[in-house]
Structures are given as C-alpha cells and as structure tokens.
Amino acid sequence: MKPTHTKTTQTSHSVRGNSEHANYPRASFFRRLGAIVYDALLAVAVYMIAGAIGFGIFTGLVSLNLLNMNGFDHVSDLLNGTALYKSLYQFWLVLCVGLFYISFWSYGGQTLGMRAWRLKVQHPNGQSLSMITASARLIYSLLGLGNIWIILNTDKLALQDSMTRSEVVVLSAEANQLRNWRGV
C-alpha cells in the first residue's frame, strides 16, 4: 500500500508529513536507548570530522598570518591556550553535532540509529518536525537525559516529546523503507 501524503503549512513554511505514521505505537525507553547508542557513535564521527575541518581552517588562518601565534610554538597550543579561539572552536563542534540531529529529525524524522531501530520522531498527526521544533527538541533532550522521563510516566513521552508536542513511534518494517525518508 502506497503511503498517503499530507501537506500542512506552518508559518509560511511547507512541512510534509505522512499521516499513515500517525497510528504507530510510541517507542519504549529501551528501544530509544538502542538508537541513542547507535547515534552516539555517529555523533562522535561528526565531532571528529568537524574537529578536523575546524582545526584545518584555524591552521590555514595562522598560515596566512591572519592570526598571530602570540608566542605559542604550536597551532594546537594557540587554539587551546586562547579562551576566544577555544570557545569558538568548541561552539563549532557543538553546532555541527547539533545540526546532525536537527537535520535528520526535520528531514525525514529519523537519524541513522533511529532508522536501524525503526523509530521516527514526528508530531502526533504524522507531520514532520520543523527545524525550529527539532532545535527545541535537541535542547530539551538534555543530552539524552530527557528520555528518563519515559520511565516515570505511562504515556511513553520523553521530556523533549512533551515540550515540543512530538512523539517517537515504532514503524513497521514496510513503513521504515527508504522511500519514506524526507516525509514522503
């Protein structure tokens, strides 16, 4: 059976959803934990790649004499020994890892770990999350600790689910096929 599509406007931004996904059961704590473990490995990879890119850009700026070494012998010492540079670098790393989650949640509702565990984050009507809602979800997740809230209540909603009016559902094997990515 081919999935139906709904198109909903949300503040002049078109957001797609799959109304068939609105009827799937909510995910348990342990199923979410499995996806978190998968995604943590991917987040580390994103962190490492972002770190290499950030360090490469920083080294390039020093090589072009756009940044002064300020008496440091090595570029890494300059980066770690200067509060401004270190803060900007750390912000860059957090931004890249955050965008990893935000992008996957808002364009298809699944990270790769969620896909492996057949999970999808969405609004209760099956509508995909906007970038703003996905960003709020990331903040409210408290680095994954918001999922503990599932153990404390019976509706299988984590803190980030309640705060963003979203839910994580368990999809059937058929609904989890690649054609359903990006809300289609």
Side-chain angles (χ1 to χ4, degrees), residues 41-57:
L41 296 172
L42 293 168
V44 167
V46 170
Y47 181 88
M48 291 170 53
I49 292 168
I53 291 169
F55 188 74
I57 291 170

Side-chain angles (χ1 to χ4, degrees), residues 67-78:
L67 296 176
N68 190 350
M69 284 294 288
N70 295 331
F72 290 100
D73 293 332
H74 301 285
V75 174
S76 60
D77 293 336
L78 174 64

